[in-house]
Amino acid sequence: MPFEVGTVNPRVMSPYYSNASTGNEIERLEQHYLVGRETEKAAYLSWIADAAPRRKILNLFGTGGIGKSYLLNEFRRLADGAGARFVSMDCRSLRTPEDFCLLLLRRLRYRTETIERDADADRLAAVCLEALAEQAGLRKTVLALDTFEDLGELEHWLREAFLSRIAPGVLAVVSGRSPLGGPWLTSPAWRQWIHRLPLADLDFDAVRLYAERSGVTGEADQRTVWQKTKGHPLTMSLLVATMMAHSPGGQAAPEDGAVFGRVAAAWLREVPEPAMKELVEAAAVLRVFNQEIVGYVLDREIGADDFRRLAEYSFVQRIDRGWLLHDLLREAIAEDLRLRVPQRYEELWKRCVLYYYRKLKRSARKKTISWENAEWFYYIGNQLIHALFYQQSVTHRMEPLSPANWEEALRYVEQRYATVREYPVRRVDPVSGQTFDYLYTVQDSLFGLKHIHLDSLYALDPGSVKLARDRHGTVCGLFVFIAINARTIDYLKREPLSAAYFSSLDESRLNELRVPGHERAGYFVKTLDVCDPSDGAMMQAAGIAFITHMLSAGFVVAAPPPHPLPRDIFLSFGAEIPDVVHYDYDERIATPYYVLDTRGPKLQDYLNRTIAAIGLADETELETEPEAAPGPYLTSRERGVADLVAEGRSNAEIAERLFISETTVKKHVAHIFKKLNVRSRAQLIGLYAARAKLKP
C-alpha cells in the first residue's frame, strides 16, 4: 500500500524567479524544514542578545547526522535578524595557523593581498584579531567553527594563541561531534567561558511535523518514519526523500538498507583502526555495555585506554548502567555482521547470552532487582518482544507516587479519560522484518484504569504506584506493582482484578505468600497503563518496568485487560495460565490470569527452558548444580592461567608453558584474583578443589 502524500506548492519549483528570489526561497524552505530545535534557538538568541555574556564560547555538539551544520545556518539567520555579524568557517580544510587566518580574513572580506607573503602565524593572528575587533566595534560578531573535530593539532594553537585574545564583542560557536574536553575543562578560566549545547535526536512530534511538511501526511506513514529513524535527523531526511521519490506511480519504496548504510558509513569515519572497529562491532551486538562485558564477548582482555576511546566516540552515549551505541548505528552494524559474517555474529551473540545467563543466576541467588533481567530478554526474546520493547534506547524514568506528584497523577488519569481514542499499534521486528498489528479500542484503552484507586493503593503500600516520565518530564504512564506479603494478602483476596486468583489458593499456598510486611513473596501486577499504546517509547517503558521486576520477584501474577497484545506478551515471557478467570473488566468476558513462578530451583528450570527454546542448551551446559569450574567471567587466556595456577605452577612455569612473558602472567593473575574474589594462589587452588568435590 503506497504511503499518503500531500500536495507540494508548484511555486517552489518554478523557474521564473531571479537568483535573489531563489536564494530567499531556499532560505525560507530551510527554516520551514528545521523542526524540533526551539530550545537550542532560544538559548542562542539569549546568548547573543546578552550585552556582556559571561560565557564567550557556545559549544554545539552531537553525533554525526544530528543536524549541527543545519542548525548553524539557522544561527546565521538569527544573527542577521538580531543585527549581528555571523562568520562561518569549516575546519575540515584547515591544517596550519596560516590556513585558519587566511580563510578567516577572506570571510571578513579583508584584502589579503596587502599582507606580506612571508607573514608568520603570529603576524597573521594579530591581523585577524584586529579585523575581528574592528567588526565587533560596529556590531556584535559571531565566529562559528564547524566540524571542529577535524581541526587536529591546530586546536591547541586556536585555544592558546587565538581565542584567548579575541575582543569583548566577539563570540565563538564551536561545533563538533564531541563536547570540548581536556584543557578546555581542566582550566577553570576556559571552563567558565564555555556554554555547552548538546543536540539529541528529535522527538516524535518533530518527526511527525517534518514528515507532514515534506508531504507524508498519513499518520501510519509518519509513525513508520519515526520507528525506522528514531528521530535521527539525517536518516529521517534521507528516508522521507526516498519515500517521496518512489511514491509517484505507486512504486514501492526500496529497501531501507541503502539509507541506513549511508548513515552508518558517516558515523564510522570516526573509527579508521581495525582494532577499534572490532570493539564497535562487539558493542553493536551487545546493547548496554561496559569494559567487562565487551572483554567477555570478545573473549580477551580489553585495555582501559582502548575502552576509553570507544566510550568517547560521538555515537556512544553514557547512561547510568554503562554505555550504548546510537540505536541506528547498532542496528546497521549488527545487520551488516549478520549478512557479511554470520558465523562471527552468532559467536558474539552466544557470548552475550552466556554472560547474562550466568549473571542472572548470581543476581537471583542474591535476591537483587537488577537491570540484567531486561538485558537477558534482549537476547533471548522472540520477535514480538524485540519489536515492542527493544526498538530504541528510550529515555524515561519511573518514580513512586508521593504527595509531591499526587496532583500530576490525578491529572494523568483525568487526561486519559478526556483524550482517549482508538490506537492502532504496529511494530516491526528489525531482524526478521515480521510485522505485528493490534488495535486498541476506546474501551480497551480505558480498561487499564478500571479499579485503580490511588488513595487505597497509597494507603496499602506507598511504593506500589509508579509514574513513568518521558524525556521532557511529562507523566506518560501509571504502573501498579503490589508486593505480596502478610500486609497485602487480604486486600488481594478482596479487591477486583486480584480477588478471583488469590481466593482460589488453598491455605497452605497463602501461608507461603504471607511473608512479613517489609518483605515480598512476589508481585501482583494490577496495571501497566500508558497514555498512548501506539507510542513505542511508552509501551517500551511499560515492558521494561515489568521485565525488571519479573525474574527478581520470583513470583508474579498479572491480570491484564482481555486484549490480544498483553496475552501475546505474557505468553512470550513463558507465563502460565492457571484454571482461574475473572469478570472484573467486563461482566461478559472471562479474563485469564498469567503467572510466572521462578522461586527457588524453578528459576534454573525457567532459564534452562528459555535457553533451550533458542537452541543454546549445549552451550550453557544446563546446570542443576553449581558450576564445575570457576571463571564464567574469565577470558580463555585467563582460564588457561587459572588452571595452571590451580596445578601449583609458578609464574615462570606458566609463562614458559603459554609462550608469554612473566609480567603478562602477573597481570592475568591479578585480574583472575579480582574477578573470582580471591586474595592468594592458595585461595584459588582451594576454590578449584571445592568445585571439584561437587562433580559427580
Side-chain angles (χ1 to χ4, degrees):
M1 177 178 176
F3 66 90
E4 299 176 42
V5 297
T7 59
V8 178
N9 187 340
R11 290 188 60 188
V12 173
M13 303 305 295
S14 173
Y16 303 110
Y17 291 96
S18 67
N19 289 337
S21 297
T22 301
N24 292 337
E25 186 68 10
I26 291 174
E27 290 280 289
R28 187 191 67 78
L29 285 173
E30 283 196 347
Q31 285 186 292
H32 181 66
Y33 288 111
L34 179 64
V35 297
R37 298 303 188 201
E38 287 72 21
T39 300
E40 291 82 359
K41 287 159 59 178
Y44 173 75
L45 277 174
S46 174
W47 181 60
I48 65 173
D50 191 338
R54 184 170 62 89
R55 301 186 185 276
K56 304 272 289 183
I57 298 174
L58 185 68
N59 181 203
L60 180 70
F61 63 93
T63 191
I66 203 69
K68 299 181 293 295
S69 298
Y70 207 86
L71 186 57
L72 282 180
N73 275 334
E74 179 65 8
F75 283 179
R76 172 181 53 79
R77 289 186 285 267
L78 293 174
D80 290 343
R85 176 77 185 274
F86 191 90
V87 182
S88 180
M89 298 175 62
D90 190 325
C91 296
R92 282 176 290 190
S93 61
L94 305 179
R95 293 294 176 266
T96 66
E98 291 82 0
D99 291 342
F100 179 90
C101 292
L102 290 172
L103 177 59
L104 177 54
L105 289 171
R106 286 194 292 271
R107 292 284 189 270
L108 293 171
R109 296 187 175 88
Y110 190 93
R111 295 181 59 186
T112 55
E113 65 270 15
T114 63
I115 303 174
E116 312 90 272
R117 290 177 179 270
D118 58 349
D120 60 13
D122 292 339
R123 167 66 179 145
L124 286 171
V127 173
C128 282
L129 290 167
E130 184 179 342
L132 275 174
E134 184 178 338
Q135 288 289 330
L138 300 173
R139 53 177 174 160
K140 184 167 289 185
T141 299
V142 179
L143 173 62
L145 306 176
D146 198 7
T147 59
F148 193 76
E149 66 274 8
D150 289 332
L151 206 55
E153 296 179 359
L154 191 56
E155 180 182 341
H156 175 80
W157 173 87
L158 181 72
R159 181 180 60 251
E160 303 300 334
F162 192 85
L163 290 180
S164 61
R165 299 162 57 193
I166 57 176
V170 178
L171 302 174
V173 177
V174 174
S175 174
R177 293 195 174 194
S178 303
L180 292 174
W184 297 96
L185 296 184
T186 55
S187 164
W190 280 111
R191 194 165 58 240
Q192 292 181 29
W193 261 29
I194 297 171
H195 173 65
R196 288 191 169 194
L197 192 61
L199 284 187
D201 290 329
L202 302 172
D203 60 19
F204 170 72
D205 289 335
V207 172
R208 179 194 57 76
L209 182 60
Y210 179 88
E212 185 177 89
R213 290 179 176 179
S214 301
V216 181
T217 56
E219 182 179 349
D221 297 313
Q222 292 170 359
R223 286 200 175 275
T224 296
V225 174
W226 162 248
Q227 290 167 5
K228 288 187 174 183
T229 68
K230 300 172 176 64
H232 183 253
L234 176 59
T235 313
M236 175 187 69
S237 64
L238 290 174
L239 182 62
V240 168
T242 302
M243 293 170 72
M244 292 297 296
H246 288 77
S247 176
Q251 297 177 350
E255 294 295 322
D256 301 327
V259 171
F260 300 129
R262 180 175 169 183
V263 175
W267 267 318
L268 290 177
R269 281 199 294 268
E270 293 183 50
V271 195
E273 305 97 329
M276 293 306 299
K277 282 186 177 178
E278 184 186 28
L279 298 191
V280 172
E281 288 177 349
V285 179
L286 284 157
R287 199 171 78 102
V288 177
F289 63 88
N290 56 37
Q291 186 175 343
E292 175 187 285
I293 302 174
V294 173
Y296 183 87
V297 170
L298 290 176
D299 198 21
R300 65 179 176 84
E301 194 73 29
I302 303 299
D305 290 342
D306 284 344
F307 186 81
R308 193 174 298 112
R309 289 180 63 194
L310 172 64
E312 289 174 352
Y313 288 135
S314 71
F315 48 78
V316 174
Q317 178 186 356
R318 177 76 167 93
I319 60 173
D320 57 347
R321 304 185 303 273
W323 290 262
L324 52 82
L325 263 60
H326 191 284
D327 294 320
L328 286 175
L329 182 62
R330 185 178 71 245
E331 290 178 9
I333 293 176
E335 178 66 13
D336 175 65
L337 282 173
R338 277 192 293 266
L339 296 175
R340 184 168 50 84
V341 281
Q343 185 173 350
R344 173 62 173 164
Y345 176 82
E346 185 177 0
E347 289 172 356
L348 294 175
W349 175 74
K350 285 180 179 179
R351 296 286 295 173
C352 295
V353 174
L354 292 173
Y355 178 88
Y356 284 105
Y357 172 79
R358 289 160 173 167
K359 188 88 170 177
L360 267 178
K361 289 197 303 180
R362 282 162 174 74
S363 65
R365 284 201 290 268
K366 297 175 184 176
K367 298 182 179 180
T368 57
I369 295 179
S370 178
W371 61 271
E372 282 93 346
N373 296 342
E375 295 307 303
W376 162 258
F377 279 99
Y378 173 70
Y379 302 104
I380 60 91
N382 61 17
Q383 288 95 334
L384 176 63
I385 299 302
H386 283 165
L388 284 172
F389 303 140
Y390 295 102
Q391 286 286 329
Q392 61 191 103
S393 304
V394 177
T395 51
H396 62 267
R397 59 185 175 88
M398 286 199 301
E399 62 187 47
L401 181 65
S402 69
N405 57 30
W406 190 276
E407 290 300 321
E408 286 183 282
L410 294 178
R411 281 197 301 273
Y412 169 83
V413 175
E414 291 172 1
Q415 290 173 358
R416 283 280 286 110
Y417 280 100
T419 61
V420 67
R421 59 179 178 85
E422 280 193 352
Y423 297 98
V425 178
R426 163 166 283 201
R427 295 291 179 272
V428 180
D429 174 33
V431 177
S432 67
Q434 183 174 352
T435 301
F436 301 89
D437 287 294
Y438 299 90
L439 177 67
Y440 268 78
T441 66
V442 170
Q443 183 185 42
D444 293 331
S445 182
L446 291 180
F447 273 155
L449 292 176
K450 195 169 186 179
H451 307 300
I452 300 301
H453 307 290
L454 297 181
D455 289 323
S456 59
L457 287 168
Y458 189 77
L460 176 72
D461 179 3
S464 63
V465 181
K466 313 286 187 185
L467 301 182
R469 294 185 185 273
D470 61 21
R471 67 178 184 178
H472 302 296
T474 304
V475 176
C476 63
L478 188 151
F479 312 146
V480 179
F481 296 91
I482 299 176
I484 304 171
N485 54 41
R487 192 178 61 201
T488 62
I489 201 73
D490 290 338
Y491 171 95
L492 295 170
K493 290 175 62 179
R494 179 181 70 243
E495 293 296 315
L497 301 184
S498 57
Y501 176 81
F502 286 93
S503 296
S504 72
L505 302 179
D506 59 38
E507 197 60 29
S508 63
R509 293 188 64 191
L510 286 173
N511 285 335
E512 290 179 12
L513 302 177
R514 286 193 177 100
V515 298
H518 63 279
E519 299 179 10
R520 56 168 170 75
Y523 284 109
F524 174 68
V525 184
K526 190 155 188 172
T527 190
L528 293 169
D529 184 78
V530 295
C531 62
D532 183 356
S534 65
D535 187 305
M538 295 183 190
M539 287 294 286
Q540 184 167 323
I544 298 301
F546 174 77
I547 291 171
T548 52
H549 284 75
M550 186 172 64
L551 294 183
S552 55
F555 180 63
V556 176
V557 181
H563 188 275
L565 180 54
R567 176 201 65 202
D568 293 348
I569 291 172
F570 281 104
L571 292 179
S572 295
F573 284 137
E576 298 178 348
I577 302 177
D579 296 328
V580 183
V581 298
H582 69 88
Y583 295 84
D584 295 329
Y585 288 117
D586 188 315
E587 294 179 356
R588 299 166 298 171
I589 303 176
T591 305
Y593 290 93
Y594 299 89
V595 177
L596 274 161
D597 190 351
T598 58
R599 291 173 291 180
K602 295 178 183 177
L603 172 63
Q604 185 65 57
D605 293 340
Y606 178 80
L607 294 176
N608 290 348
R609 286 200 309 272
T610 55
I611 281 288
I614 59 175
L616 286 184
D618 293 339
E619 300 290 335
T620 56
E621 300 175 353
L622 299 181
E623 304 161 32
T624 56
E625 57 202 357
E627 293 162 333
Y633 299 102
L634 302 184
T635 66
S636 58
R637 173 64 79 189
E638 288 170 344
R639 286 195 295 272
V641 172
D643 289 342
L644 292 173
V645 171
E647 293 176 8
R649 306 282 183 178
S650 68
N651 287 348
E653 291 172 325
I654 295 172
E656 183 178 358
R657 177 76 67 89
L658 299 179
F659 302 100
I660 57 179
S661 70
E662 193 169 342
T663 300
T664 301
V665 173
K666 290 179 181 178
K667 289 181 180 179
H668 284 315
V669 170
H671 290 142
I672 292 165
F673 283 7
K674 183 177 180 180
K675 291 180 179 182
L676 299 183
N677 196 26
V678 297
R679 297 183 179 180
S680 67
R681 301 169 87 91
Q683 285 186 346
L684 178 61
I685 293 170
L687 180 62
Y688 264 73
R691 295 290 177 89
K693 290 179 181 178
L694 294 173
K695 288 184 178 181

